[in-house]
Amino acid sequence: MAGIAVSTTINGDITEYLCQPDETLLDVLRDRLGLTGAKEGCGTGDCGACSIILDNRLVCSCLVLGAEAEGRRIETVEGMAHGDQLHTLQQKFLEHAALQCGICTPGFLIAAKDLLAKNPDPSEEEIRFGLAGNLCRCTGYDKIVRAVQDAAHVMKGA
Amino acid sequence: MNFDPRFSGRKFASVGTRPIRPDGVDKVTGRARYGADFNMAGQLVGRVLRSPHAHAIIRKIDTSKAEKLAGVKAVITAADLPDLTDGDAAMYDILDNCMARTKALYDGHAVAAVAAIDARTARQALKLIEVDYEILPHVTDVDEAMQHHAPLINDTIFTEGLEEKPVKPSNVTKRSQFGHGDVHQGFGHADFIVERSFKTEQTHQGYIEPHACVASVSSDGTADLWVCTQGHFVYRQHCAQLLGMEASKLRVTSSEIGGGFGGKTHVWAEPVALALSRKAGRPVKLVMTRDEVFRASGPTSATSIDVKIGARKDGTITAAEATLRYSAGPYAGSWAEIGAMTAFACYKLDNVKTVGYEVLVNRPKTAAYRAPSAPMAAFAVESAVDELAKELSMDPVDFRIKNAAQEGTRSSYGPVYGPIGIGPTLEAVKNHAHMKAPLAKNQGRGMACGFWFNFGGQTCVDLNIGMDGSVSLAVGTVDVGGSRASLSLVAAEELGIDYSQLKAIVADTSSLGYNDMTDGSRGTFSSSMATISAARNAIKILRERAAQMWDISVDDVVWEQGHAVAKGEKHGNLGKLSLKEIAAESGKTGGPIAGHSELVADGAGVSFATHICDIEVDPETGSTRVIRYTVVQDAGKAVHPTYVEGQYQGGAAQGIGWALNEEYIYGKDGRLQNAGFLDYRIPVCSDLPMIDTQILEIPNPNHPYGVRGVGETSIVPPLAAIANAVSNAAGVRMTHIPMSPPRILAAIEAERGG
C-alpha cells in the first residue's frame, strides 16, 4: 500500500515521512521517527501518556492520524529542553520527585507546559483540572501538583 | 564474608538527604527506555489471539489461513510450547496461562499468537485463525464458585487443608487456618460483639505501561529478552524452563519499568514472544494493548469476608475471628492464606482464629497487587473494629491503642514481634492536626490501621571503583520508584564519599548473580544491605592498597569519611589517602578495586501504618469527595525521605481508587465489560487532595541502618479508613467495596427505608 507523504514541523525541525492512512501520529512518532518520549498507555485517549502539543493545542497523539500532521507544528517532550538546559518544569519535576516510574512524566510535562502557557498563574484547583487528562498510578499527584506550582512561580519571575 | 547486618545506630551524612535521582534527567527528557521503546534489526510484530469465552473447551485451532497470509512469519499455539514443567504444578499453571492448552479459562485467555512484518498484518492474521470452542458453563463470583452446583473449573482439584481428603473435586483449592487461644471461650467473656460480612470487588494494579518485550532467539540456541519486569532473574528462570533452555543462555535485560505494583512479577507474553522468535528465526516485539492488560494480566482477588470481634466493657478485645474467601482466577494461589495471616496482625489478641479459602473463578489469574490480600482483610477487620468502638462508646483511636500489638506480642499469624510501629503510628494519629480539623455538613472522618510483612530474599550487588575514583553500583533489583537514588545514598554513606561520585544501574541477568524480584517491599531493604556489605568489602581492599602505598601493615589503616587513615604513633606523618588517590594508583597496587556481595537478606522488619481521611458524601447522589488524607507509617529509616513520602502517597491514592471507584465488571456472559481506562476509572489529579505524610522511624534491628520496606503497607489501611469515613458521613455502615455512588445511595436509602 502506498504511503501518504507528510511534511510537518516537529520541535522546530521540518520533518517529512510516509505513513499509512490508518496509522496514528503516536505510531509515526515512535516507530517511524524514533521519538519514543510519547508513550502508549491505552491507545484510546484515556491516559494522556502520549500527550503532544499540535498547533498550540494539547492532544493525545494516539487519537490523531499521522496524515493529519501535514503542515502543522508539533511539540513533544524531546523538544522541551534547550540543549543541556532543562525546561523549568523538567527541573522542578526532578527537584520535587514528581515521578516514580516515570512512564507518565512526558505526558504530564507536555500537559503542564500547555497549561502554564495558557494560564501562567493557576490555582491548585486549576492545576488539578488542567492535568486531569493524564493518569499517574505511582505518585497520588501530590508532588506533581507541587512541582507545577513551583515551576509556575519561577517562570512568572523570569 | 563476616557481614554483620545488625542495626548499629550510626549518625548519617548521606542517608536521609533528598538528592535528585540518577535516572531522573532521562525520564524528564523522554530518553529513558521502557519496555516498548526498544527495537532490534529485522524485528517482527507479535500479537496474541484471546478467547472471547469465559470457559470453553478448545476443540481445534486451524492456523493454516493465517500462515498463508503474506508477511506472516510464524503462528504458534500451545503445541509450540510443549509441557516441560516436569510435574511442577505451579509452573504448569504459568504455562497454561501463557497459552491455553485444552480449555480457555477466562475471557482474554491466550489461545494462539502470530509474528508478522507489521502490526496491520499481525492483526489481520489473528482474524484468519479459526478456533472451534465448546462453550462450558462459567462462574465469576467468589461466593457462587463455592456452591456445590457451581461449574467446576478444574476437575482435578480437591480441596487441600481439610481433615479428610474430599471425595469430590471443588473450586476451593485450599483451606488454611491461623490463630491461637480459644475464640469460643473468648466470645463468652465479651460484653459486646460485632459480626458482619463484607465484600470487595476485583481491581487491577493499573500500571500505565502495558506489558512489553522484545525477544530474540538465535539459531545457536542463545537468546536475549528485553522486558519491563519487576524481576528479570525470575523471568529468566521461568522462560528458560518453559522454553527448554539453559538459563545462562538466555540474557534478560530489564527495561525501565512503567509501574508494576506486583503485576509485573509473572510471565505472560514473554514465553510467547520467545516461542514466536524461535519459530520465525527473527526478533519479535510483543506489546499488550490496554484491553489485553485488563483482560489477561493482573488483577487482585475479589473477596467475601465474615468478621466477628468481641470486647469487654473496658475496651479489651476478648476474641476475634474471620472467614476469608479470595478469588484466585482459574489457578491455585495463596491469596486467602495471606489475607488470613494479615487480618488481625495489628492487635494483641489472646483468642484469634482466621480461616481462608482459595477459590477458582473464570477470571484472569490473580496476581500480586501491593501488599497482596492485606487491604481487603484490613477493610473487613478495621470496619468491625470501628463499629465495636462505637458500641463501646470509645474513641476509635483509643480503642485501637488499647489493643495494639507491641514488642513481644505473639502475632495472630504466629511469630512474636520485635520492635514495631503500630502503637507509635496510632499515638501520632491521635496527636495529628488532621484529627482536629473541622468537618462540614455531610463530611465524615475515618481512620484505620494496616500491616504488611515485608520481605528480604536473595540479593547480589557489585560495586566497582574506577581509576578516577568514581563508583559504579550494579544492582539486580529492578528500580520501580527511585531505588537507584536510595542505594546510591547508602553506598555514599558507607564509603564516605559524595553522592555525586556514584552511579547506580540495574544489571542484566548475565552481568550479576541471581536476585529475587522487586516485590515484598524488598528493593531498598535487601539491596541496601548487599550494598553496605559490598562497600565494606571494597573498603577492605582500599585499606590494603593504602597500606601498600604507605608500606605499612593493613592493621594500621582505618577507613574514615572516605579516606584511608594511618593509625598509631609511628605513622603520624602519613596523613590521609582519599578514595580517589588510592584508585588512581590501583593499576600499580594490584589492579581494579571492587566490592561484591551476595546474601539472603533476612530480617525484613514488619511494617505498620495508620491512615486518617475525611470524605464528603452527597446524600442525594451518593457521590463522594476526598477532603483530607493523612498517612502515618513506620519506615524504620527513610533512606531518601522524598521517595518514601511518594510511596506513602501513591499507596494511599491506589487505595482511594479501590475504595471508591475501581472494579472489574463482568456480564452474565462472563466477559469483562470495562477493559479500558475510560470505564475502569483510576483516580485523576482532580479527584484527590494533597496527601499529607508523616514518616516514623522505629529502627529495624536486623538492618545496619534500621531500614524497613516501605512500598506496600500504604495501600493496606485506605479501604477501611475510607469506609469508616463514608459510614460516618452517610450514617450507615458500608460493607461493599468499591463504595461507588449507586452503592452508597442504595445503602442510604435502605437505612432511611428501615
Side-chain angles (χ1 to χ4, degrees), chain B residues 445-654:
Chain B
R445 177 163 298 146
M447 52 78 58
C449 302
F451 157 87
W452 185 243
F453 308 94
N454 293 337
F455 177 61
Q458 299 183 63
T459 315
C460 186
V461 157
D462 261 340
L463 187 151
N464 289 294
I465 299 174
M467 282 188 279
D468 61 354
S470 66
V471 177
S472 49
L473 179 66
V475 304
T477 44
V478 170
D479 180 352
V480 296
S483 62
R484 273 166 290 190
S486 59
L487 298 173
S488 297
L489 283 170
V490 166
E493 185 73 51
E494 199 64 32
L495 291 170
I497 60 174
D498 192 76
Y499 174 82
S500 63
Q501 271 177 267
L502 276 135
K503 175 83 179 178
I505 62 141
V506 179
D508 67 58
T509 58
S510 294
S511 308
L512 196 63
Y514 177 84
N515 278 264
D516 284 330
M517 307 235 181
T518 297
D519 64 1
S521 299
R522 71 178 287 274
T524 293
F525 167 76
S526 62
S527 275
S528 69
M529 199 185 274
T531 297
I532 293 166
S533 169
R536 289 180 185 173
N537 290 336
I539 287 168
K540 186 165 170 282
I541 297 171
L542 286 162
R543 283 173 47 232
E544 285 166 5
R545 300 297 176 85
Q548 208 178 322
M549 286 163 76
W550 280 324
D551 198 18
I552 64 174
S553 163
V554 69
D555 296 334
D556 292 337
V557 182
V558 294
W559 192 258
E560 283 174 1
Q561 294 171 342
H563 293 77
V565 181
K567 287 282 174 189
E569 279 174 27
K570 59 184 175 177
H571 305 314
N573 59 343
L574 288 176
K576 297 194 281 190
L577 283 168
S578 70
L579 181 144
K580 200 171 174 174
E581 287 165 327
I582 300 166
E585 296 297 309
S586 60
K588 296 177 212 153
T589 58
I593 301 172
H596 183 76
S597 169
E598 61 271 308
L599 50 81
V600 176
D602 288 328
V606 293
S607 163
F608 293 90
T610 302
H611 291 197
I612 325 165
C613 77
D614 297 351
I615 304 278
E616 185 171 301
V617 176
D618 181 341
E620 302 305 316
T621 63
S623 74
T624 49
R625 199 158 65 91
V626 185
I627 306 295
R628 281 180 210 92
Y629 203 102
T630 302
V631 177
V632 181
Q633 185 177 320
D634 173 21
K637 174 67 200 174
V639 177
H640 191 305
T642 314
Y643 285 104
V644 173
E645 292 163 5
Q647 291 297 319
Y648 290 6
Q649 292 164 334
Q654 285 186 317

Side-chain angles (χ1 to χ4, degrees), chain B residues 119-454:
Chain B
R120 173 195 293 216
T121 309
R123 280 196 297 267
Q124 222 176 329
L126 289 188
K127 289 182 185 156
L128 296 174
I129 298 174
E130 292 168 6
V131 186
D132 182 12
Y133 292 105
E134 179 187 334
I135 297 170
L136 299 172
H138 65 270
V139 59
T140 54
D141 181 79
V142 62
D143 286 325
E144 280 174 27
M146 288 183 76
Q147 304 292 320
H148 293 298
H149 60 265
L152 264 187
I153 290 165
N154 183 340
D155 60 13
T156 68
I157 296 277
F158 293 80
T159 311
E160 284 177 37
L162 301 179
E163 281 181 17
E164 285 179 37
K165 193 192 167 180
V167 289
K168 283 187 179 169
S170 160
N171 287 330
V172 179
T173 63
K174 190 166 68 177
R175 177 191 185 276
S176 46
Q177 185 177 325
F178 298 89
H180 53 254
D182 181 338
V183 288
H184 182 72
Q185 207 172 37
F187 285 120
H189 296 140
D191 297 311
F192 294 93
I193 293 176
V194 164
E195 196 169 3
R196 268 206 192 269
S197 296
F198 300 88
K199 282 202 90 154
T200 68
E201 296 301 328
Q202 189 162 41
T203 57
H204 194 277
Q205 297 86 350
Y207 31 82
I208 308 301
E209 180 197 32
H211 300 263
C213 66
V214 178
S216 174
V217 181
S218 296
S219 54
D220 63 2
T222 63
D224 276 281
L225 180 68
W226 163 275
V227 60
C228 59
T229 170
Q230 290 174 243
H232 44 315
F233 292 91
V234 174
Y235 272 36
R236 177 180 67 171
Q237 299 290 111
H238 287 184
C239 288
Q241 190 179 347
L242 296 181
L243 273 289
M245 298 178 68
E246 286 173 36
S248 63
K249 292 191 176 154
L250 172 59
R251 185 171 73 160
V252 183
T253 306
S254 64
S255 69
E256 293 294 342
I257 177 173
F261 315 109
K264 289 176 183 164
T265 56
H266 310 258
V267 293
W268 276 283
E270 300 75 15
V272 174
L274 285 161
L276 282 169
S277 174
R278 182 168 63 183
K279 195 161 183 180
R282 283 168 67 171
V284 173
K285 183 175 193 170
L286 210 166
V287 181
M288 278 196 195
T289 62
R290 179 54 54 182
D291 173 88
E292 289 179 288
V293 171
F294 276 112
R295 284 169 68 210
S297 78
T300 187
S301 303
T303 73
S304 161
I305 302 173
D306 306 327
V307 174
K308 184 177 175 185
I309 309 176
R312 273 199 283 269
K313 279 180 203 149
D314 69 352
T316 309
I317 296 177
T318 58
E321 190 174 9
T323 304
L324 310 97
R325 306 161 203 94
Y326 279 55
S327 70
Y331 305 103
S334 298
W335 309 109
E337 187 174 353
I338 301 171
M341 290 171 85
T342 61
F344 292 108
C346 292
Y347 299 106
K348 183 174 184 288
L349 300 167
D350 292 333
N351 304 297
V352 57
K353 179 185 172 188
T354 56
V355 176
Y357 294 99
E358 314 291 338
V359 186
L360 301 187
V361 292
N362 292 114
R363 294 185 180 219
K365 186 181 196 292
T366 295
Y369 178 16
R370 203 170 197 159
S373 302
M376 307 83 132
F379 160 58
V381 167
E382 290 292 292
S383 294
V385 165
D386 235 47
E387 211 172 347
L388 192 51
K390 271 206 179 71
E391 297 256 338
L392 291 159
S393 303
M394 272 184 84
D395 175 82
V397 182
D398 290 336
F399 180 49
R400 286 174 171 87
I401 289 173
K402 187 170 176 71
N403 292 287
Q406 300 160 352
E407 185 169 358
T409 295
R410 186 177 172 201
S411 69
S412 56
Y413 63 98
V416 174
Y417 288 131
I420 55 172
I422 179 67
T425 65
L426 281 162
E427 295 289 348
V429 160
K430 190 176 163 68
N431 298 317
H432 200 284
H434 184 155
M435 294 302 271
K436 295 169 196 83
L439 288 170
K441 197 184 168 204
N442 295 326
Q443 293 182 353
R445 177 163 298 146
M447 52 78 58
C449 302
F451 157 87
W452 185 243
F453 308 94
N454 293 337

